[in-house]
Amino acid sequence: MADFTFIRTWQGWAYLALVIDVHTRMIVGWQLAPHMRQALVDDALAMAIELRPDRDPDLIHHGDNGSQPRFKGSSQHRLVERRVGDR
């Protein structure tokens, strides 16, 4: 599962993308940046995929895909069919 949020800092806004393993409840991928671009979310998902030891082909990624207008498309994808960067 994924989430995206923003944090006010002394130097401006920071944007945080997280990927959470629902089974273990651990954060398995994350990225922090001063921008809110698609690459931020893609990089967090790429980190989660690379750090996953078993890489089960039936693994499903779910992101809420709710309030960010530039992040379009279905919110659930089999990771073997849709890799980071695919549109």
Side-chain angles (χ1 to χ4, degrees):
M1 192 164 65
D3 199 7
F4 185 85
T5 192
F6 52 94
I7 304 161
R8 176 179 262 162
T9 70
W10 290 108
Q11 296 187 3
W13 291 100
Y15 300 92
L16 177 65
L18 298 167
V19 179
I20 303 164
D21 182 327
V22 179
H23 177 71
T24 63
R25 297 182 181 175
M26 294 178 61
I27 295 172
V28 293
W30 61 273
Q31 288 295 315
L32 183 67
H35 60 77
M36 185 173 44
R37 292 193 277 272
Q38 178 73 41
L40 178 65
V41 177
D42 288 346
D43 290 346
L45 182 56
M47 175 189 267
I49 292 168
E50 286 301 314
L51 295 178
R52 185 160 181 88
D54 58 353
R55 299 206 186 154
D56 182 352
D58 292 325
L59 184 69
I60 295 174
H61 169 71
H62 173 80
D64 67 4
N65 199 33
S67 62
Q68 303 302 325
R70 293 182 60 192
F71 303 130
K72 301 264 187 217
S74 173
S75 63
Q76 294 186 4
H77 309 284
R78 288 185 62 186
L79 294 179
V80 294
E81 293 175 0
R82 179 177 170 148
R83 293 289 181 183
V84 174
D86 291 350
R87 300 275 190 265

